[in-house]
Amino acid sequence: MCFTVEVVHAFLFRSGKYVYKPILKKTCCPQYTIRCHALKFQPSKSHKKILKKMSKFISKGELPKGEEDGEPMDSGCGEAGPREPSKVCHPEVKCAPITDIQKEVAECPTITEGQKKTGDAAPKGSETSQKDPVSVPDGRTAAAAPKPGMGADPNRPQCRKAKDLRKERRLQKEQMRQHTDGVSSIVSPAHPTATHTNQPKPLEEFINESLPENSSHCLEVRLVRSNPPSPQFKASFDASYQVYKLYQMAIHKDPPDKPSESQFRRFLCDSPLEAEHSPDGPEVGYGSFHQQYWLDGRIVAVGVIDILPTCVSSVYLYYHPDFASLSLGSYSALREIAFTRQLQKQSPKLSYYYLGFYIHSCPKMRYKGQYRPSDLLCPETYVWVPIERCVPHLENSRYARFNQDPDAGDARVLKDVGRALVLYRRTVMPYAAYSRKRKGSSDESEVQQYAGLVGQDCAERILLYRS
């Protein structure tokens, strides 16, 4: 019997049709389910850098030198439109130029060597050296240098960021202009009034900025259903498989004969999820899809994803090795978050982005925790806990219970196996009814053990497929 679940993202994970749940206490590298709150996500400086790098490549044709940033390529894939187009090249999916990100540098006054010598040359006990500021050639004054080991000089102003200083100067000029015009106004430089320009720039603006007409490359993102395979999926199957083969040989060092076509189908094309459309769901429907990145008419990366009632779940990403320096794992995850937000406008309950596993004991897998706000699933009580509260526990132990209430358990644990819903010959029924129909040895203990891992009233309905 092969077990699977209607929505596998929260408790179980899939590889093709194979669905599994890791036993975290026994594995060497515990794998915790991680989800990102897509609607609340704001790109970090490193995320903006990755988007800018891709934009520069698309607009100017400059491929970055060196290797990619080191994140494993199993995170997710990019954004796509609400339909399955044979060609998509409009602002929602086309690569966008990212505006230059200004580096924030601190303007911190420093003490020159001449000032140090002047301060050191002053006689001990001199009132001038202790109280009066030291004159400097340009007419400004500076406090005497602090003695080694005494810390920052309290007489000197604190270091401030250039951005804050510019903002303060703008506010001061505005005050002067208003007073000149006879308008009385009080504006506090330390607490400027919030304006629209001060709001953080959303992810979509970084992605969807229009490219110049003379861009060196054109990037298209196509969404194709992989199960059942759509005509677009069938037409691009060979090209997609060749990229996968190159990826396996270059990244995972597989021999040329190992990444076979049957392996590719079984691992990344087959799925236990069937296509389904719901009146309150997204236009593309639910199920398993491939997100294909087409650069100038050829596939350079493919992401395998599941679109589910409450989330977009990342399964895998593979790419052409020639483009490893573009940090496609991180880039595609950012596009995936934007795609989730796009789908949420069509289906309000679809608001999470699942990145698969978070493995804190593997440094290369920690990058997933940078997509915040995000939660990890407690392996014992199955409640979501903010990752900030989980990391301190994982620093001390590979395996950790995130829910700190010692009396808490799985509130949804299945106590009556007869109530578990079973899919038998494409018909959903309680396990009690299924056991009466089925002849042969009882598998109640197996079902009880599995169902206890998932819970009785969880939204993820248990489906037991019999082959």
Side-chain angles (χ1 to χ4, degrees):
M1 178 176 288
C2 176
F3 298 100
T4 189
V5 170
E6 181 186 28
V7 181
V8 300
H9 56 277
F11 301 94
L12 308 176
F13 295 87
R14 77 172 185 90
S15 173
K17 288 187 176 180
Y18 177 68
V19 182
Y20 60 99
K21 179 185 184 300
I23 302 177
L24 303 191
K25 283 187 176 181
K26 295 184 178 181
T27 183
C28 62
C29 300
Q31 308 165 56
Y32 299 93
T33 309
I34 181 171
R35 72 177 185 184
C36 171
H37 295 256
L39 302 184
K40 300 178 181 179
F41 173 80
Q42 286 293 338
S44 65
K45 288 184 178 180
S46 61
H47 295 148
K48 295 174 186 177
K49 181 179 179 181
I50 290 169
L51 292 171
K52 180 181 178 181
K53 179 168 59 176
M54 176 63 80
S55 177
K56 187 175 182 180
F57 166 68
I58 295 297
S59 60
K60 299 181 180 180
E62 299 178 9
L63 191 65
K65 297 181 180 180
E67 297 297 323
E68 43 85 19
D69 291 344
E71 79 276 22
M73 300 293 106
D74 67 343
S75 60
C77 193
E79 181 185 13
R83 305 186 185 277
E84 298 180 10
S86 58
K87 182 174 181 180
V88 183
C89 196
H90 53 76
E92 288 186 354
V93 297
K94 191 175 179 180
C95 271
I98 310 303
T99 57
D100 290 340
I101 303 169
Q102 297 180 349
K103 297 181 180 180
E104 297 180 2
V105 294
E107 292 186 357
C108 179
T110 57
I111 302 172
T112 64
E113 290 298 320
Q115 291 171 344
K116 289 181 180 179
K117 292 179 180 179
T118 305
D120 293 341
K124 295 181 180 180
S126 169
E127 293 296 324
T128 302
S129 65
Q130 295 180 10
K131 297 181 180 180
D132 297 337
V134 180
S135 299
V136 290
D138 61 0
R140 294 177 298 176
T141 60
K147 295 181 180 180
M150 298 298 291
D153 187 353
N155 296 320
R156 297 186 64 80
Q158 294 184 350
C159 296
R160 301 181 61 188
K161 289 185 177 181
K163 182 173 68 173
D164 295 335
L165 293 172
R166 290 194 298 270
K167 185 183 297 184
E168 183 174 334
R169 286 195 292 269
R170 286 196 301 269
L171 290 169
Q172 290 173 346
K173 289 181 180 179
E174 179 65 18
Q175 283 182 308
M176 293 177 62
R177 185 187 65 79
Q178 291 176 346
H179 283 295
T180 303
D181 296 340
V183 179
S184 178
S185 175
I186 299 178
V187 181
S188 173
H191 303 283
T193 303
T195 63
H196 178 71
T197 57
N198 291 333
Q199 297 299 319
K201 193 174 183 179
L203 175 63
E204 287 79 3
E205 289 192 29
F206 287 103
I207 292 177
N208 294 333
E209 285 184 316
S210 60
L211 281 170
E213 294 182 358
N214 59 345
S215 295
S216 298
H217 300 290
C218 179
L219 179 68
E220 306 166 28
V221 182
R222 305 178 187 177
L223 179 69
V224 297
R225 185 180 289 276
S226 57
N227 186 57
S230 66
Q232 295 88 350
F233 177 83
K234 293 178 180 179
S236 59
F237 178 86
D238 290 340
S240 182
Y241 165 61
Q242 292 302 320
V243 174
Y244 170 75
K245 189 172 182 178
L246 291 172
Y247 171 83
Q248 290 295 115
M249 291 190 295
I251 306 302
H252 295 294
K253 310 304 179 184
D254 285 354
D257 58 338
K258 183 177 180 180
S260 64
E261 182 176 319
S262 60
Q263 178 197 35
F264 173 67
R265 287 184 182 274
R266 185 170 60 253
F267 177 37
L268 296 176
C269 303
D270 293 342
S271 170
L273 302 178
E274 296 187 358
E276 181 179 335
H277 287 79
S278 174
D280 60 347
E283 295 180 16
V284 296
Y286 301 125
S288 297
F289 297 82
H290 279 197
Q291 298 263 15
Q292 300 175 341
Y293 289 77
W294 290 75
L295 180 69
D296 301 332
R298 65 167 178 151
I299 295 178
V300 296
V302 177
V304 182
I305 64 169
D306 292 335
I307 299 178
L308 303 165
T310 61
C311 75
V312 171
S313 179
S314 166
V315 178
Y316 200 73
L317 179 94
Y318 58 94
Y319 60 91
H320 196 292
D322 288 351
F323 301 93
S325 60
L326 290 174
S327 304
L328 292 174
S330 296
Y331 174 77
S332 60
L334 295 169
R335 298 287 302 238
E336 184 74 25
I337 293 173
F339 180 46
T340 303
R341 290 152 68 125
Q342 179 183 337
L343 294 181
Q344 193 273 338
K345 296 177 180 178
Q346 305 170 13
S347 181
K349 61 183 178 181
L350 200 162
S351 60
Y352 294 106
Y353 168 54
Y354 282 70
L355 297 92
F357 287 133
Y358 175 79
I359 307 176
H360 191 77
S361 56
C362 178
K364 286 190 176 182
M365 293 293 285
R366 294 184 185 180
Y367 80 97
K368 294 184 179 183
Q370 299 173 1
Y371 299 87
R372 299 191 180 185
S374 59
D375 305 317
L376 297 185
L377 189 68
C378 177
E380 297 182 9
T381 62
Y382 298 104
V383 297
W384 294 102
V385 181
I387 193 170
E388 294 85 355
R389 289 165 46 189
C390 302
V391 169
H393 300 292
L394 295 175
E395 292 287 351
N396 297 325
S397 174
R398 293 192 176 198
Y399 174 80
R401 170 192 168 110
F402 303 137
N403 188 336
Q404 294 307 295
D405 181 359
D407 299 325
D410 182 5
R412 301 166 298 185
V413 65
L414 183 66
K415 298 178 181 178
D416 181 6
V417 68
R419 295 177 59 187
L421 295 179
V422 177
L423 182 66
Y424 177 61
R425 294 182 178 177
R426 306 186 67 83
T427 302
V428 177
M429 64 187 71
Y431 177 76
Y434 160 76
S435 62
R436 291 193 296 268
K437 289 178 175 291
R438 180 174 179 266
K439 298 179 181 180
S441 59
S442 173
D443 55 2
E444 180 173 344
S445 60
E446 186 178 5
V447 174
Q448 178 71 63
Q449 180 183 11
Y450 172 78
L453 297 174
V454 179
Q456 178 178 0
D457 300 320
C458 60
E460 291 75 15
R461 184 176 62 203
I462 301 174
L463 300 182
L464 307 179
Y465 284 85
R466 172 165 294 284
S467 55

